[in-house]
Amino acid sequence: MGRCGARAWQELLVLLGGLCMWGSGAQPTPPGPTRSSVPPLKFRLAGYPRKHNEGRIEVFYNEEWGTICDDDFTLANAQVLCRQLGFMGATGWAHSAKYGKGVGRIWLDNVNCAGNEKSIRDCKHRGWGNSDCSHEEDAGVICKDERIPGFKDSNVIETEQSHVEEVRLRAVVSGAQRRLPVTEGIVEVRYKDGWAQICDEGWDSKNSRVICGMMGFPTEKKVNRNFYKLFAERQQLNYRLHSVSCTGTEVHISMCTFQFYRGNSSAACSTGMPAVVSCLPGPLFVTGSAQKKKQRQQQQSQPRIRLKGGAKAGEGRVEVLKNNEWGTICDDRWNLLSASVVCRELGFGSAKEALTGARMGQGTGPIHLNEVQCLGTEKSLWSCPFKNITQEDCKHTEDAAVRCNIPYMGYENLIRLSGGRSRFEGRVEVAVGAAEGDEPRWGLVCGEGWGTLEAMVACRQLGLGFANHGLQETWYWDASNVTEMVLSGVKCAGHELSLNHCQHHGSSLNCRNTGTRFAAGVICSETASDLLLHAPLVQETAYIEDRPLHMLYCAAEENCLSSSARHANWPYGHRRLLRFSSQIHNNGRADFRPKAGRHSWVWHECHRHYHSMDIFTHYDILTPNGTKVAEGHKASFCLEDTECEEDVAKRYECANFGEQGITVGCWDLYRHDIDCQWIDITDVKPGNYILQVVINPNFEVAESDFTNNAMKCNCKYDGHRIWVHSCHIGDALSEEASRRFEQYPGQLNNQIS
């Protein structure tokens, strides 16, 4: 028994020793002579669409290619990997499989480099093959477009380029060459320093559909090949691809099967001609009289799908209309095929990205669909298989979103910023006269009337995201030699793609202050807040109180009562108040911060703290046709985080002159029993009304979406009691349901069905 125990103990020590040796192999390898025995790692860039110096990073280890997870990924990691690929360094990195999902193993996770390591082996990580990631988290790198001198390694991108990155449509028809967008032309692919054509042998409508999708168009149409055949006979063409075969559902031609011409391709495509494609633009990008006709047709029937919360055209959180109520889509199994169906249905091209994890902000209301699995050929998302949602399946933190391909319109070439500290800010300069084909003349925009909505359009046109501020004076950015005002009276709705699409004075300039210090400016941001009121709480907490006048002196001083209160017999009598709680959530991607600095905050004696926004909400009682019957109340607010979601920390509080704002994932609660949290309805007669609350009504602070800032409720007032019901965010219902709401005949009793 003793001998057996001793032998077992020896075997255990040997086994433990082996485990220690095996475990040490997963740690960073120290530099030394043993390095030569370790097989060298190979790296490559993969994915689509991409340039030669960027892509999904893949590593060849243990005779198998695999990817790297984006958990804890940093620029320092990208620096090390780019150097191993033969580039001088990195300029950025990408997460969430921006370049498409890889296949096979995920070799590395939680990689942590200092940035000066010679190999990724020397960085800390969880060990080879030890990962809790999916390929939706594959990391990518963007390397400096500068090679290490003399670098020779298998990591070099193929010298005979065997992938397709950039594609364009070259217009050759007279007149179409200047017009944007280019909807018809010869398909060309980038090759070395120029462009090459595709032989159209075997080319069909499915191939054209893929090209049109890449160019930002929802569908293709037939093209007159005879004209192009004559054109091709007179040109010296350089063919690069042939035998292209797409299924029609690909988001990029690189995903189709095709063959390359090798060597001298001058005699290639002897029986064919260059591939030619003609596309139909979506309603947003149609030009001329056809645009108005197409838009009218679209307006006749309300779409059942929309995008919300995106900075640019063709991107946003996907929302669908079901049972007359707008809701979101859960991101389970959300992919490029389903995203492309959404994009094409909305009049854009195929999808660039299928975004998960509420990357375009969280929606509200129901989550209508889950596990959407489109084939990619469907005309509508509603034709795709999906699962109906149950409350346990998904949360709004899993809302699906898309980024679609949109046509190149050249709007960004007609605007620029000058004088700012970064490319995201500066005085706005616009080009005029470029449309006539002349050299554009740059000039300034009059700052008079310039605000957040105009700044939103300018930032969108610049491709810089959302607007943080619209500035009417820019004397501190006086660094340009452009001094002439060329645009005035700009008034935007906020959704336009270019300042030229907004109302303005045209060539008849009308600006009181034409000095450069009064030129318009912007500060742009990649993210923005998104405020909305919790509608059910208003419905649950609404009640009437007859409050004695002697308790309302403070409120009267702050203009929280209707004007007739001035003629009351103070301190005798009372005012009838409709009271309710306001809970305002920030569902965006940036904190909501007041525009005013601390020096201009106002002390409010009633609330015993400073208010950072003079008019933060409008409270109104309206008739069904929209006429105000109560004078309403323009409420100022101190902004703070009253409560937050589980994993979010509070950052703002009103006490002790603290910083004010509402953090993403938090909400500010003004309870019904606080002074001024009411509407004075003393003079309102019995009847059926609409209670309306509008947040940030003057667009003082930029948000990603202003359409959800209003909340409406039906209410019946019989002179003694009030019934408040059907509270909803302004854009939460279908057009039909909204009409029914406004035409509501009123309650006959207090039984609300």
Side-chain angles (χ1 to χ4, degrees):
M1 190 74 178
R3 272 198 305 271
C4 288
R7 181 185 293 173
W9 181 245
Q10 286 174 335
E11 288 174 357
L12 180 61
L13 286 172
V14 171
L15 181 61
L16 285 171
L19 281 172
C20 290
M21 288 170 65
W22 178 84
S24 66
Q27 301 303 313
T29 309
T34 56
R35 174 61 65 87
S36 59
S37 62
V38 179
L41 297 174
K42 296 179 184 177
F43 298 87
R44 69 183 182 191
L45 294 174
Y48 55 85
R50 64 183 184 86
K51 296 178 182 176
H52 68 281
N53 57 326
E54 64 176 321
R56 181 177 64 249
I57 184 71
E58 296 191 349
V59 55
F60 190 71
Y61 175 82
N62 202 19
E63 302 300 314
E64 190 176 349
W65 284 102
T67 62
I68 297 176
C69 181
D70 63 12
D71 289 353
D72 300 330
F73 207 87
T74 63
L75 186 61
N77 298 351
Q79 296 280 12
V80 174
L81 289 162
C82 284
R83 286 199 298 271
Q84 291 199 266
L85 284 160
F87 295 98
M88 291 293 285
T91 59
W93 62 278
H95 57 83
S96 304
K98 178 185 175 181
Y99 300 101
K101 292 184 283 189
V103 293
R105 300 291 296 272
I106 299 174
W107 277 127
L108 294 174
D109 189 9
N110 300 112
V111 179
N112 183 8
C113 302
N116 55 2
E117 294 88 349
K118 290 186 177 179
S119 169
I120 202 77
R121 286 186 195 271
D122 303 329
C123 303
K124 294 177 182 176
H125 52 78
R126 291 178 59 156
W128 291 94
N130 183 7
S131 167
D132 59 358
C133 300
S134 70
H135 280 296
E136 291 176 345
E137 300 166 84
D138 284 344
V141 293
I142 302 105
C143 302
K144 290 180 182 175
D145 195 4
E146 188 180 348
R147 302 291 293 172
I148 296 172
F151 187 91
K152 291 180 181 179
D153 199 280
S154 58
N155 299 342
V156 177
I157 309 295
E158 300 89 341
T159 51
E160 181 65 30
Q161 195 176 3
S162 62
H163 53 267
V164 177
E165 294 173 354
E166 290 184 67
V167 179
R168 74 175 185 183
L169 273 186
R170 180 160 68 96
V172 296
V173 180
S174 179
Q177 296 174 3
R178 287 183 187 170
R179 241 187 353 253
L180 292 175
V182 175
T183 58
E184 182 177 307
I186 294 174
V187 184
E188 296 188 328
V189 296
R190 171 73 76 179
Y191 180 54
K192 295 184 178 175
D193 295 328
W195 294 90
Q197 293 75 44
I198 302 174
C199 181
D200 78 341
E201 289 176 353
W203 189 272
D204 60 15
S205 61
K206 291 177 181 176
N207 297 353
S208 297
R209 177 178 166 83
V210 172
I211 296 295
C212 287
M214 290 175 63
M215 297 296 111
F217 304 112
T219 187
E220 75 291 345
K221 66 175 182 178
K222 285 188 177 179
V223 66
N224 181 1
R225 294 178 78 253
N226 293 330
F227 167 81
Y228 289 94
K229 197 170 183 73
L230 286 169
F231 174 82
E233 287 169 359
R234 299 173 190 161
Q235 301 290 320
Q236 177 67 43
L237 298 173
N238 176 26
Y239 289 100
R240 177 75 181 132
L241 301 184
H242 66 94
S243 305
V244 178
S245 179
C246 304
T247 64
T249 61
E250 296 89 349
V251 298
H252 197 278
I253 194 174
S254 63
M255 302 171 71
C256 305
T257 61
F258 52 80
Q259 298 292 321
F260 284 97
Y261 286 113
R262 301 291 179 186
N264 183 11
S265 58
S266 57
C269 200
S270 55
T271 60
M273 57 176 271
V276 177
V277 164
S278 184
C279 308
L280 281 170
L284 204 57
F285 305 100
V286 182
T287 52
S289 58
Q291 180 184 22
K292 294 169 185 172
K293 184 179 176 184
K294 197 160 188 175
Q295 282 179 338
R296 276 199 301 271
Q297 289 172 347
Q298 199 181 45
Q299 286 165 0
Q300 286 171 1
S301 59
Q302 186 187 16
R304 295 180 63 197
I305 190 164
R306 68 185 184 187
L307 300 182
K308 302 279 277 184
K312 303 172 186 172
E315 68 174 32
R317 181 177 62 254
V318 183
E319 295 192 351
V320 291
L321 186 63
K322 186 179 179 185
N323 300 328
N324 284 322
E325 189 174 7
W326 287 100
T328 60
I329 296 177
C330 186
D331 63 11
D332 292 350
R333 298 200 176 187
W334 185 247
N335 61 21
L336 282 168
L337 289 175
S338 300
S340 289
V341 171
V342 168
C343 291
R344 289 182 189 270
E345 185 177 356
L346 289 168
F348 305 111
S350 50
K352 279 195 294 191
E353 292 183 73
L355 302 169
T356 58
R359 289 266 302 281
M360 290 288 176
Q362 295 183 33
T364 55
I367 301 172
H368 283 318
L369 308 179
N370 188 18
E371 295 192 23
V372 179
Q373 295 180 66
C374 299
L375 299 173
T377 55
E378 297 87 350
K379 293 265 192 250
S380 170
L381 188 76
W382 292 101
S383 304
C384 304
F386 61 85
K387 286 186 179 178
N388 287 314
I389 199 77
T390 60
Q391 211 165 6
E392 295 76 35
D393 287 338
C394 284
K395 297 177 181 176
H396 281 297
T397 53
E398 301 167 81
D399 284 342
V402 295
R403 281 199 180 102
C404 308
N405 287 312
I406 64 169
Y408 174 73
M409 301 298 291
Y411 294 141
E412 67 273 24
N413 300 326
L414 304 175
I415 188 171
R416 67 189 185 192
L417 299 181
S418 68
R421 295 162 298 180
S422 73
R423 68 186 186 93
F424 283 90
E425 66 178 31
R427 180 180 285 164
V428 177
E429 297 179 359
V430 294
V432 292
E436 290 78 29
D438 304 326
E439 190 68 28
R441 180 168 54 95
W442 289 94
L444 306 176
V445 179
C446 178
E448 195 176 312
W450 182 268
T452 302
L453 295 179
E454 290 72 35
M456 292 288 269
V457 175
C459 290
R460 181 181 297 119
Q461 187 176 351
L462 286 157
L464 296 178
F466 302 99
N468 247 351
H469 297 294
L471 304 159
Q472 296 187 356
E473 288 191 33
T474 53
W475 51 268
Y476 38 82
W477 285 333
D478 205 3
S480 172
N481 57 2
V482 175
T483 57
E484 183 190 1
M485 290 273 182
V486 296
L487 196 62
S488 65
V490 180
K491 189 173 179 59
C492 303
H495 56 75
E496 296 90 347
L497 301 180
S498 162
L499 287 176
N500 283 332
H501 297 166
C502 304
Q503 294 177 24
H504 55 83
H505 291 152
S507 56
S508 55
L509 196 71
N510 184 6
C511 187
R512 278 182 301 183
N513 299 305
T514 55
T516 55
R517 66 168 294 170
F518 299 105
V522 293
I523 301 175
C524 304
S525 171
E526 291 178 326
T527 56
S529 59
D530 184 20
L531 296 190
L532 45 93
L533 192 66
H534 186 55
L537 187 66
V538 175
Q539 188 167 311
E540 292 162 13
T541 56
Y543 65 96
I544 284 176
E545 180 193 7
D546 288 338
R547 194 162 181 81
L549 284 172
H550 69 83
M551 300 176 71
L552 291 172
Y553 279 105
C554 184
E557 287 176 12
E558 297 195 8
N559 296 315
C560 296
L561 303 174
S562 60
S563 58
S564 64
R566 288 198 292 269
H567 309 297
N569 186 23
W570 292 78
Y572 309 105
H574 66 270
R575 302 300 291 180
R576 178 156 288 183
L577 309 174
L578 169 59
R579 309 193 72 143
F580 52 87
S581 295
S582 288
Q583 185 172 300
I584 296 157
H585 292 245
N586 182 359
N587 279 14
R589 291 183 288 149
D591 292 356
F592 185 93
R593 297 299 309 277
K595 188 176 180 180
R598 282 168 176 264
H599 62 279
S600 59
W601 293 359
V602 179
W603 175 257
H604 279 247
E605 191 63 35
C606 292
H607 298 150
R608 305 294 300 168
H609 56 223
Y610 286 90
H611 283 194
S612 57
M613 287 188 72
D614 190 37
I615 299 176
F616 181 62
T617 52
H618 281 182
Y619 299 151
D620 289 299
I621 298 286
L622 313 173
T623 61
N625 68 6
T627 307
K628 291 183 183 180
V629 291
E631 288 180 30
H633 170 49
K634 296 175 174 61
S636 62
F637 264 63
C638 168
L639 302 172
E640 67 176 354
D641 298 327
T642 309
E643 292 292 339
C644 298
E645 293 169 7
E646 279 182 31
D647 54 344
V648 180
K650 296 180 185 179
R651 297 180 64 185
Y652 306 107
E653 63 174 352
C654 296
N656 304 318
F657 200 35
E659 285 291 335
Q660 293 193 24
I662 306 176
T663 307
V664 176
C666 299
W667 55 89
D668 189 1
L669 175 63
Y670 262 55
R671 287 170 48 90
H672 56 82
D673 52 3
I674 294 176
D675 263 8
C676 295
Q677 187 56 38
W678 62 53
I679 299 177
D680 184 349
I681 61 169
T682 307
D683 307 320
V684 175
K685 296 175 182 176
N688 297 299
Y689 299 104
I690 292 173
L691 164 62
Q692 179 176 278
V693 179
V694 183
I695 310 165
N696 193 16
N698 298 336
F699 313 114
E700 196 176 314
V701 178
E703 298 183 48
S704 60
D705 184 9
F706 287 114
T707 61
N708 57 10
N709 282 27
M711 186 229 60
K712 296 181 178 181
C713 306
N714 279 128
C715 52
K716 177 181 174 62
Y717 175 49
D718 67 359
H720 306 285
R721 296 161 295 178
I722 197 162
W723 292 282
V724 176
H725 61 100
S726 303
C727 294
H728 64 277
I729 298 299
D731 68 341
L733 304 181
S734 67
E735 290 174 0
E736 181 191 345
S738 294
R739 278 194 297 271
R740 283 204 306 268
F741 172 87
E742 288 165 5
Q743 294 164 6
Y744 181 71
Q747 293 293 119
L748 300 176
N749 53 47
N750 65 352
Q751 301 301 310
I752 298 167
S753 56

